[in-house]
Amino acid sequence: MLYDTLIRNALVIDGSNSPGYAADVAILDGRIARIGDLSEARASDEIDAAGRVLAPGFIDVHTHDDTVVIRQPQMLPKLSQGVTTVIVGNCGISAAPVSLRGDPPDPMNLLGSAAAFVYPRFSDYRAAVEAANTTLNVAALVGHTALRSNHLDDLFRTATDDEIDAMREQLRESLEAGALGLSTGLAYASAFSASTDEVMQLTEELNAFGAVYTTHLRSEFEPVLEAMDEAFRIGRHARSPVIISHLKCAGAGNWGRSPQLLASLEEAAKTHPVGCDCYPYAASSSTLDLKQVTDAHRITITWSTPHPEMGGRDLMDIAAEWNLPLLDAAKRLQPAGAVYYGMDENDVRRILAHPLSMVGSDGLPEDPFPHPRLWGAFPRVLGHFSRDVGLFPLHTAVHKMTGLSAVRFGLKERGEIREGHWADLVLFDPATVRDVADFNDPQRAAQGIDGVWINGVLSYRDGQANGQRPGRFLARQGDLRDGFR
């Protein structure tokens, strides 16, 4: 037997939250063929992985890569940190199904200009991903705000019964075409006016498919517990799993409340399938939101349509230069993007370490001056939080980015190193792996990532992408509730 690839002498951390073990791993026809002592085996490509960890490829459960996976299929910011699968369509914003009548409303503009939205049906988007020969695997949610923009003439009100019926029909068609579920971004002005009842009626479509409900909560600030209660109420009504996006205690007045949030999550989990994702930084990034403008912490502008020259500068400095109050300066910059240094590090660590939390980057690939999480989230968990800070053992760090994520989103035969599973793999040096991207120089590849295989194809080696594009569209498989039992 001649295998395609043989990785010898690796420390295999298999994604199951178990400590690593020494083994050789053989790949054949895109899958993991054998694991063990394969000293007698041979392969077309043999790699000595002594001193390295072989882990499942990382699954980025919270991305806004919807259109960039098609337009820039190399996906270097993710590939270079060991990500092999991205889940798109988060925070209520998705590339499909969308039929714009003008410019994309905020925050759909995070996915690009109107020219990027050319998928009136979810099946059109799926076909485009498949035709693009993407580097990474792609699985997709349907955004609530995307549906609203298709059917409401005014996003600053709740939907009528007829509009809800039209949105439900589009959601149902999308679920039939393989969507994972529905996402909301209720904190954003374009969805904030949607009543809880509007969302509940939409989520009634999820039950028949065993699909998931993910939500950027209505507030991550002082009313965050009430917002979590709303999310759990919607999930129970829908009989659908609930994943809270980028769980955090936002705003200086909210710091230190993570034990309350995690207690709420644990209580809900006793009777309903729930979880959350988070990113390993104490700063967030999104569009420039006037409600979040404050002098209590630093705010950096990442882009501005009327004033592109202000990208990378702090709002406070811009306001001083213009001799304007902060709020007036922010209004002049809009539409714009921003990084908000609005979290406490201890809260970030508590949430990241919690057994119910997965890792997602929430990176914004369209930002000219992006938050460093776009390039650094996963190596930061491995290097900074696991190795340097000792927040959790390395096998737990890997589990939060692989096995846990795969089972929550029903990504069958992925997320663990097992015989017969797809060979989505990352080889890294546990002693040197680290995020290099920072807030001053955010577009830098991680160190210590030696190799990345997607569906058995080596696509990144020793700091270089090789142009291989073996990714696939991953349609929803089975009942996602099963992954929470």
Side-chain angles (χ1 to χ4, degrees), residues 269-348:
K270 289 176 182 175
T271 57
H272 193 79
V274 303
C276 69
D277 66 61
C278 61
Y279 45 81
Y281 298 86
S284 62
S285 182
S286 187
T287 51
L288 180 59
D289 175 11
L290 299 182
K291 290 187 297 188
Q292 293 190 54
V293 170
T294 177
D295 59 5
H297 55 73
R298 187 178 163 206
I299 299 172
T300 304
I301 301 304
T302 57
W303 59 271
S304 165
T305 300
H307 294 282
E309 71 280 4
M310 294 303 178
R313 294 190 57 191
D314 282 5
L315 178 60
M316 199 169 279
D317 295 340
I318 296 168
E321 185 175 305
W322 287 349
N323 197 25
L324 287 174
L326 276 184
L327 198 61
D328 291 349
K331 286 176 183 171
R332 186 186 283 190
L333 289 162
Q334 284 183 314
V339 168
Y340 306 89
Y341 297 82
M343 287 177 267
D344 178 71
E345 179 70 18
N346 291 320
D347 288 320
V348 172

Side-chain angles (χ1 to χ4, degrees), residues 98-334:
V98 173
S99 303
L100 293 178
R101 290 185 284 270
D103 288 331
D106 185 301
M108 286 174 63
N109 53 6
L110 290 174
L111 303 184
S113 65
F117 292 88
V118 291
Y119 314 107
R121 298 171 304 172
F122 186 87
S123 57
D124 298 326
Y125 177 75
R126 177 176 176 171
V129 171
E130 289 168 343
N133 296 320
T134 58
T135 302
L136 307 184
N137 300 313
V138 180
L141 296 153
V142 171
H144 170 227
T145 300
L147 296 173
R148 296 187 100 232
S149 76
N150 293 342
H151 298 288
L152 274 68
D153 55 6
D154 175 9
L155 297 177
F156 302 101
R157 61 171 173 81
T158 199
T160 65
D161 289 345
D162 286 349
E163 289 163 344
I164 290 170
D165 287 344
M167 289 192 282
R168 285 182 69 154
E169 185 177 345
Q170 276 199 309
L171 176 57
R172 187 164 57 249
E173 287 174 358
S174 301
L175 293 166
E176 287 168 351
L180 295 172
L182 178 73
S183 77
T184 57
L186 299 176
Y188 291 105
S190 48
F192 188 78
S193 297
S195 66
T196 305
D197 184 62
E198 174 185 320
V199 183
M200 279 183 168
Q201 288 190 59
L202 279 180
T203 58
E204 287 170 8
E205 297 295 335
L206 302 176
N207 182 39
F209 296 90
V212 71
Y213 173 62
T214 76
T215 179
H216 177 150
L217 296 169
R218 202 176 284 274
S219 177
E220 297 173 328
F221 290 81
E222 196 279 326
V224 61
L225 287 173
E226 292 83 351
M228 289 176 73
D229 286 343
E230 179 190 36
F232 300 144
R233 194 161 76 249
I234 291 166
R236 286 192 294 268
H237 177 80
R239 299 195 286 281
S240 166
V242 177
I243 294 173
I244 294 176
S245 298
H246 41 59
L247 183 62
K248 64 172 77 78
C249 301
N254 232 12
W255 292 351
R257 293 183 67 199
S258 52
Q260 291 176 268
L261 272 62
L262 294 170
S264 172
L265 193 70
E266 289 169 8
E267 187 61 29
K270 289 176 182 175
T271 57
H272 193 79
V274 303
C276 69
D277 66 61
C278 61
Y279 45 81
Y281 298 86
S284 62
S285 182
S286 187
T287 51
L288 180 59
D289 175 11
L290 299 182
K291 290 187 297 188
Q292 293 190 54
V293 170
T294 177
D295 59 5
H297 55 73
R298 187 178 163 206
I299 299 172
T300 304
I301 301 304
T302 57
W303 59 271
S304 165
T305 300
H307 294 282
E309 71 280 4
M310 294 303 178
R313 294 190 57 191
D314 282 5
L315 178 60
M316 199 169 279
D317 295 340
I318 296 168
E321 185 175 305
W322 287 349
N323 197 25
L324 287 174
L326 276 184
L327 198 61
D328 291 349
K331 286 176 183 171
R332 186 186 283 190
L333 289 162
Q334 284 183 314

Side-chain angles (χ1 to χ4, degrees), residues 333-399:
L333 289 162
Q334 284 183 314
V339 168
Y340 306 89
Y341 297 82
M343 287 177 267
D344 178 71
E345 179 70 18
N346 291 320
D347 288 320
V348 172
R349 292 184 183 190
R350 275 191 209 102
I351 293 168
L352 183 62
H354 195 274
L356 288 173
S357 72
M358 301 171 282
V359 175
S361 72
D362 197 16
L364 301 176
E366 295 293 327
D367 265 15
F369 192 84
H371 189 302
R373 63 193 181 187
L374 178 68
W375 287 80
F378 292 84
R380 184 170 176 79
V381 174
L382 299 171
H384 176 68
F385 282 110
S386 177
R387 181 189 62 229
D388 300 343
V389 175
L391 191 61
F392 31 57
L394 187 58
H395 63 264
T396 298
V398 169
H399 174 64

